[in-house]
Amino acid sequence: MQSKEQVRRTSRPLRWVAAALAGMMMLSTPAQAGGTLSAASEWRNPKDSVRIRFSPCGQDRVCGVVTWASDKAKEDARRGGTQQLVGTNLFRNFERVAPGQYKGHVFVPDMNRTFSGHMEIKGDSMIGKGCVLAGLICKQQVWTRIS
């Protein structure tokens, strides 16, 4: 049987994966859903503990860099091996695969690992989804555009 601390530790990585995937889904607006990637935009996670700025990072791709994080989010990242959360590129090389849908890679700071992720943009909301263990455990999270 796992202790409360072990359960808490194993649930943190899934929160980061969900957060990262959700962030990816906010890269376009409805008018852009069938077009090109949006210009630089900033998003917040549901608890407003992490903010990310998406901007172009290559041919038809966008990346998301942490612009602000709460003290708790920074400490969780440090425990996972990421010493400097602000400035870290969490969403890497996301490309549009369908109108309003993107795929790419998400760096999870509290695990110090990178995973594949998908996101969907719906207006000022981004729904991110990520799975681990060959799809046995999945999480999704909705992020909100703030600029």
Side-chain angles (χ1 to χ4, degrees):
M1 179 175 246
Q2 291 183 323
S3 70
K4 286 183 182 180
E5 182 61 26
Q6 289 170 322
V7 169
R8 200 174 314 128
R9 281 188 192 142
T10 57
S11 68
R12 281 187 191 132
L14 294 177
R15 285 191 305 243
W16 275 101
V17 169
L21 292 175
M24 290 182 264
M25 292 185 176
M26 301 178 154
L27 297 176
S28 72
T29 62
Q32 298 163 320
T36 61
L37 298 171
S38 68
S41 58
E42 192 157 347
W43 302 82
R44 68 171 178 82
N45 67 356
K47 292 184 179 181
D48 199 13
S49 60
V50 175
R51 293 183 180 184
I52 305 223
R53 174 162 297 279
F54 284 101
S55 57
C57 62
Q59 184 73 20
D60 297 326
R61 295 177 189 269
V62 294
C63 293
V65 175
V66 177
T67 58
W68 177 86
S70 69
D71 289 340
K72 182 180 181 329
K74 291 176 189 175
E75 182 56 34
D76 287 346
R78 275 192 291 275
R79 276 196 295 267
T82 303
Q83 296 304 310
Q84 185 66 38
L85 181 57
V86 175
T88 298
N89 186 0
L90 296 188
F91 299 94
R92 300 173 179 181
N93 295 310
F94 272 80
E95 64 180 320
R96 186 170 61 95
V97 295
Q101 297 183 20
Y102 297 82
K103 72 175 184 175
H105 293 92
V106 179
F107 175 67
V108 182
D110 59 350
M111 293 178 68
N112 207 25
R113 294 187 59 196
T114 302
F115 298 94
S116 293
H118 294 82
M119 66 178 164
E120 181 180 356
I121 308 297
K122 292 187 176 183
D124 284 338
S125 295
M126 176 187 68
I127 303 161
K129 184 175 182 182
C131 299
V132 295
L133 300 174
L136 293 175
I137 300 172
C138 296
K139 271 300 225 190
Q140 86 174 25
Q141 189 176 46
V142 179
W143 287 53
T144 303
R145 184 189 309 265
I146 56 177
S147 70

